[in-house]
Amino acid sequence: MSLPFMSGGPSCRDDINLKKHTHKKQQRYMDPDTGQCTELVIQAMKPDSGTDLVKQVGITDQTRRTPKLVVSLFRPKTCSTIDVLVFILLWPFRFFICSIYLLFRPLNGLPKGGMGGSINVTEYPPYLMSYWGHLWAARSQKEHSVFQEGGEHSKPAPSRSVSVVHSLTRLLSRRGKREDDLPSTTPGVTSIPESTAHNFYPRRLVILRGDVWEVCNNHDEIARHPYFAVSYCQNDMLGFETEKEKEFIESIRSAASQSEMKAYWLDLECMGNTDDEKRLDVYQLADTYRGAEFTLVALPTNAQSGEGWRRWSDRVWTLSEIMMSKELRYIIGSEGPVKTVSLRELANLAYGHDSEEAAVINACGGMDPMYHLEHLTLLKAVIWHRGNASQDPEKAPPKAQPRPSKGIDNLSYQAEKVYALMVFFEHRIMPFPSESELQALARLSMTNDGYRMAERMLSMLPNKIPSKPSWYADDDQYKAQFWDIEPEVQVAGVTDGGALVLDGCRAASIRWKDFPEVGVRTTESGFRQLVAKIAVFGIPGFYAFAVQWIPWLFSKISKDSSNVSATASESCQGNECAVNVTISPAALILAIVLFGWATVLLVLGPFMIAYSISGRILSTQPYLIGVKGAMKLDEASHYLYRAWLSRPRLMYTTSGSVLAQHAGREGDIREGKKTQYDAVKELENQDELYTLIDTSTGTLYYFTAKRPPTVCLFTGREGGLGRFVLCSENCTVNELHKETVLRMPTQIHRFMRSCGWLAIGGVEE
């Protein structure tokens, strides 16, 4: 089992006071009792002493000794023959030990919340740490971030993207101001250029002046010319030959003549020459295609066989171009006629009738932009398959190879797919080549807060959780869709490593080292409280009073006249003296009564304690308790409630984990299948199998994870249950790593304490 925690060195901020501390290379956690970064020790069904990363110990509990002994007098561990036989044989010995404990350790006689009382602790152990680092990009313009600041902290922010902030401002300032221009403010994540600015016309057009086609930069002239935009695949139409580029441009101009158009937009001629101009053109790409009279799809001569359509449809930008268009036309070859085609007809030609892409286009129902989350989710899935094969989010996509020509297919943006997706959103983000796909996706989610895509991804459990951007998810093992999840947290920003910084989290610490002494609230009973107090305070009290009675008896001794039969001079011989002492009959009777009553209480003490802990348990102190391996339901109940004769009912979860199984109609109670334990014992990855017990609801969960999670976060709701993300801690970079997601009763989040900012993901191998 490898830990992704060691690349930054074995040092961290030791406690909630952020003191620097050096430690060993072991998994650690923030101790909720001490507020310090502590080595993680986990209890295991079969402890493995061979691992140095996480220390494993046997199962233990913190329940007080006397109540456990009392319970063992009245209940065997299990109903098996061996346990019953041991119960009978050891009963006298346990009874004797229990009585001795009551005599010499009386305050150990009742469990937490005993004597018919209640507990004061009504919340889970809190998670005390919060994110204290800088933000690479922030949701709020007021919040400091390296991305928005523009280079004050050059180390965490890529220098290339920082320089873009200033260069784009210079680029915009050179143009004449007009009503639909982008404001010249620094393009931060939530600034005006990224949220509301849309252009009515492209920045450049190729316009026919007389008999000559020329690239025009004049806004007033561009505004007077209707134009069409061109969509094509560079590899098919251009290759690597300069002559083919000229031939292709001539074919587009020929198509313009056929369509009686005097202006067109082609990326080869209209996109800027500098990196800054190209980024601005990508930002305005949706406006360019939306403002065109029609979009011309240019295909090679082999398109008749379907190969040209397929290669064109595999581009990242294809869907963005055609679905923003008012009308579609296509041309095959350099001299083919220009034909009109509907969106659905084009989808059938390029994608096929039953493809996912065709479903997205049919769902659109026309040329209107799709702003619904369901459609955006489908679009994301389709675009992520375009161009290169679906990329592992842990790895940056390969950069495009340099080409002798320019154009949108020639861009080497790592987050190209995100920029292609953003044209369907109401608010867009300014492209930057050095940001990762996850950083761009987080920025897009923050800018379009209504969809909250990043927050929904966080609450999902993908088939494979990435080791670095652990918040990212393309699918969900619970079969939920994006729109099924209602987020309960908000993304405040993103770190330079791609981690999401969350606000509004409720969190609880998971206890791994042992089973704690769980407090309970029982039914109120004055008589039960009286019996408990007599057992706890009466037995040692009467014995102590009886022992104190002896000096008082000796004080009643008198010489000569009544109690001493000889004087000291007559009875002493050398160093030895004989004194005859007689005790008052009343005093002797009082001493016998005190010692006798104390002995009777000592014999009855275990039974009195048993009666005092026999009340019905109404509620339990909230704890999340983890165990490595699979623990049976009876074993969990034994370790949790060893100090109580009346135990609350534990049950397996019905649908709270991927490994959960519903009992169906086997009974009239909705509960998990009782054979869950047998099923999980058959799993191959036993080293990644864990058990979680929630004492608040009395539910047991089985789950698999790469590392034992130490923090539970409430992040959203879905299907009538809450989504709780279980995370391990990376103290070296002050981030959490998603290990799994459980579906737990929503009401338990009320017992979790609100915490500050938390960063999810971003740990490195």
Side-chain angles (χ1 to χ4, degrees):
M1 182 172 60
S2 63
L3 290 175
F5 299 162
M6 304 306 138
S7 60
S11 62
C12 67
R13 300 287 180 175
D14 177 57
D15 55 19
I16 57 178
N17 294 320
L18 303 184
K19 297 179 180 178
K20 289 186 177 181
H21 175 70
T22 302
H23 54 72
K24 297 180 180 179
K25 294 185 177 181
Q26 294 173 324
Q27 186 175 350
R28 304 177 73 81
Y29 74 106
M30 175 60 66
D31 193 323
D33 298 323
T34 64
Q36 292 183 328
C37 181
T38 309
E39 176 188 350
L40 180 63
V41 178
I42 65 173
Q43 54 185 345
M45 299 301 295
K46 296 180 180 179
D48 183 6
S49 58
T51 175
D52 296 329
L53 299 177
V54 180
K55 183 179 179 181
Q56 300 181 17
V57 296
I59 310 295
T60 57
D61 64 83
Q62 296 294 325
T63 307
R64 303 181 192 186
R65 177 74 63 177
T66 303
K68 287 194 294 187
L69 288 171
V70 170
V71 172
S72 68
L73 295 175
F74 297 91
R75 172 185 289 165
K77 184 176 181 180
T78 65
C79 296
S80 64
T81 305
I82 296 178
D83 285 339
V84 172
L85 184 60
V86 171
F87 169 75
I88 296 174
L89 294 177
L90 295 182
W91 197 93
F93 176 74
R94 289 173 175 170
F95 182 85
F96 174 76
I97 296 298
C98 182
S99 300
I100 296 300
Y101 262 89
L102 277 176
L103 179 60
F104 293 101
R105 301 189 65 181
L107 296 180
N108 190 259
L110 288 176
K112 193 174 182 180
M115 294 194 297
S118 61
I119 54 174
N120 295 322
V121 181
T122 57
E123 64 178 21
Y124 291 96
Y127 179 61
L128 301 178
M129 183 57 80
S130 60
Y131 180 71
W132 40 260
H134 293 289
L135 297 178
W136 182 79
R139 177 184 296 272
S140 172
Q141 296 186 57
K142 188 67 175 178
E143 188 65 44
H144 169 81
S145 67
V146 176
F147 179 85
Q148 193 172 19
E149 178 195 39
E152 180 180 337
H153 295 23
S154 58
K155 182 176 180 180
S159 58
R160 186 178 180 186
S161 56
V162 168
S163 64
V164 171
V165 176
H166 301 294
S167 58
L168 279 175
T169 304
R170 293 194 301 271
L171 172 65
L172 292 171
S173 63
R174 289 199 298 266
R175 301 169 56 202
K177 288 294 292 181
R178 60 182 189 270
E179 184 177 354
D180 61 330
D181 259 345
L182 296 177
S184 59
T185 56
T186 302
V189 175
T190 56
S191 61
I192 295 176
E194 298 200 7
S195 58
T196 60
H198 299 282
N199 274 8
F200 295 113
Y201 308 102
R203 198 170 51 85
R204 288 179 179 176
L205 276 183
V206 180
I207 298 176
L208 180 63
R209 293 171 176 168
D211 295 331
V212 181
W213 291 92
E214 296 180 352
V215 177
C216 178
N217 296 309
N218 185 279
H219 174 264
D220 294 333
E221 189 172 357
I222 290 174
R224 294 194 301 267
H225 283 78
Y227 69 95
F228 68 92
V230 183
S231 174
Y232 68 102
C233 177
Q234 277 197 10
N235 289 334
D236 282 348
M237 305 304 295
L238 304 181
F240 292 91
E241 301 177 13
T242 306
E243 291 299 324
K244 284 190 174 182
E245 181 176 321
K246 294 180 180 179
E247 294 177 4
F248 175 65
I249 293 176
E250 288 300 323
S251 68
I252 298 301
R253 293 174 179 177
S254 175
S257 299
Q258 290 187 49
S259 304
E260 299 181 352
M261 298 291 294
K262 295 185 178 181
Y264 66 86
W265 187 92
L266 177 64
D267 57 0
L268 292 176
E269 299 179 276
C270 298
M271 288 193 71
N273 297 318
T274 66
D275 290 342
D276 303 334
E277 291 174 336
K278 290 178 181 179
R279 294 182 191 102
L280 185 59
D281 289 331
V282 172
Y283 175 81
Q284 297 176 348
L285 195 66
D287 302 325
T288 298
Y289 280 86
R290 188 181 290 115
E293 297 298 314
F294 63 88
T295 294
L296 178 67
V297 179
L299 300 168
T301 54
N302 63 355
Q304 298 289 357
S305 63
E307 181 65 20
W309 283 107
R310 187 193 63 80
R311 293 178 65 85
W312 169 77
S313 66
D314 282 342
R315 295 172 59 246
V316 171
W317 295 94
T318 297
L319 275 176
S320 306
E321 293 166 351
I322 65 174
M323 297 189 70
M324 292 292 105
S325 304
K326 301 175 184 176
E327 182 182 331
L328 292 171
R329 301 180 186 182
Y330 72 94
I331 181 173
I332 298 178
S334 58
E335 298 180 357
V338 177
K339 297 181 180 180
T340 303
V341 62
S342 69
L343 181 61
R344 288 187 173 88
E345 289 173 342
L346 186 144
N348 293 332
L349 289 170
Y351 301 112
H353 296 278
D354 301 325
S355 65
E356 191 176 29
E357 293 83 352
V360 172
I361 292 175
N362 290 331
C364 178
M367 301 299 174
D368 296 332
M370 297 192 305
Y371 293 139
H372 297 298
L373 181 60
E374 297 90 335
H375 296 164
L376 291 173
T377 304
L378 291 173
L379 279 166
K380 176 187 174 298
V382 170
I383 291 176
W384 253 241
H385 294 136
R386 302 275 70 78
N388 305 304
S390 184
Q391 295 293 333
D392 186 345
E394 301 179 32
K395 303 177 182 178
K399 295 185 177 181
Q401 297 296 325
R403 302 175 54 87
S405 61
K406 57 185 179 180
I408 196 168
D409 286 354
N410 188 36
L411 298 175
S412 57
Y413 292 165
Q414 295 184 31
E416 182 182 23
K417 296 176 183 178
V418 180
Y419 303 147
L421 177 65
M422 77 176 179
V423 303
F424 299 100
F425 284 81
E426 185 178 359
H427 307 299
R428 303 193 292 270
I429 59 175
M430 187 66 71
F432 287 94
S434 58
E435 71 177 341
S436 67
E437 194 171 272
L438 273 299
Q439 286 176 323
L441 190 61
R443 290 204 295 126
L444 183 62
S445 177
M446 288 190 293
T447 305
N448 296 271
D449 187 47
Y451 301 117
R452 309 183 72 179
M453 293 189 67
E455 289 92 335
R456 297 174 195 272
M457 286 184 179
L458 174 65
S459 297
M460 300 175 74
L461 178 61
N463 289 314
K464 180 184 177 183
I465 298 178
S467 61
K468 189 173 182 180
S470 63
W471 58 269
Y472 179 83
D474 265 332
D475 54 359
D476 183 49
Q477 295 190 47
Y478 295 110
K479 309 302 181 183
Q481 302 296 333
F482 278 91
W483 52 89
D484 294 328
I485 298 173
E486 184 64 30
E488 293 290 337
V489 295
Q490 185 182 54
V491 175
V494 59
T495 69
D496 57 346
L500 288 185
V501 179
L502 303 178
D503 177 52
C505 279
R506 287 182 176 269
S509 294
I510 302 175
R511 186 182 181 100
W512 286 94
K513 60 182 179 181
D514 55 25
F515 278 81
E517 183 181 25
V518 180
V520 300
R521 185 172 71 88
T522 61
T523 53
E524 297 290 339
S525 173
F527 183 69
R528 189 180 294 116
Q529 293 185 36
L530 177 62
V531 172
K533 291 177 181 179
I534 293 176
V536 171
F537 303 112
I539 296 174
F542 278 106
Y543 268 108
F545 189 67
V547 171
Q548 291 294 326
W549 188 255
I550 296 176
W552 182 83
L553 293 177
F554 277 99
S555 68
K556 295 299 182 180
I557 298 175
S558 59
K559 296 182 180 181
D560 298 334
S561 60
S562 59
N563 295 336
V564 182
S565 57
T567 62
S569 60
E570 294 177 342
S571 60
C572 292
Q573 298 179 357
N575 294 330
E576 297 181 0
C577 297
V579 181
N580 295 325
V581 180
T582 59
I583 302 177
S584 171
L588 181 60
I589 292 173
L590 183 58
I592 293 174
V593 169
L594 289 175
F595 275 99
W597 178 241
T599 303
V600 171
L601 290 179
L602 187 62
V603 174
L604 296 177
F607 299 95
M608 300 171 71
I609 293 294
Y611 176 72
S612 66
I613 61 176
S614 62
R616 182 168 51 184
I617 296 177
L618 302 178
S619 61
T620 307
Q621 181 180 356
Y623 270 104
L624 294 174
I625 304 169
V627 178
K628 181 175 176 58
M631 173 175 277
K632 291 183 179 179
L633 205 62
D634 293 341
E635 290 180 290
S637 179
H638 170 74
Y639 284 107
L640 275 176
Y641 306 110
R642 297 185 70 178
W644 298 95
L645 287 176
S646 175
R647 296 179 179 178
R649 191 170 187 264
L650 288 182
M651 63 177 62
Y652 292 112
T653 179
T654 57
S655 60
S657 77
V658 178
L659 303 178
Q661 298 177 358
H662 198 287
R665 295 185 176 274
E666 295 179 0
D668 57 351
I669 299 177
R670 180 182 176 274
E671 61 182 345
K673 201 170 185 178
K674 296 182 180 179
T675 58
Q676 284 191 38
Y677 174 81
D678 299 325
V680 298
K681 291 296 291 183
E682 300 297 326
L683 296 177
E684 295 181 358
N685 54 341
Q686 290 292 314
D687 190 52
E688 298 180 358
L689 180 62
Y690 297 93
T691 303
L692 182 74
I693 303 108
D694 176 23
T695 62
S696 176
T697 59
T699 310
L700 185 142
Y701 304 82
Y702 295 125
F703 66 92
T704 56
K706 296 293 184 182
R707 291 158 292 274
T710 56
V711 183
C712 177
L713 306 178
F714 174 59
T715 59
R717 308 167 189 260
E718 173 269 320
L721 292 173
R723 286 287 180 122
F724 292 82
V725 180
L726 273 55
C727 303
S728 55
E729 299 176 51
N730 179 7
C731 61
T732 59
V733 293
N734 185 221
E735 293 176 1
L736 303 177
H737 183 271
K738 180 166 70 174
E739 299 294 341
T740 191
V741 178
L742 297 181
R743 302 174 73 245
M744 306 171 74
T746 307
Q747 75 269 14
I748 70 172
H749 83 276
R750 298 181 179 179
F751 307 135
M752 294 181 173
R753 185 183 300 180
S754 298
C755 52
W757 283 2
L758 297 177
I760 308 295
V763 292
E764 299 178 355
E765 296 287 358

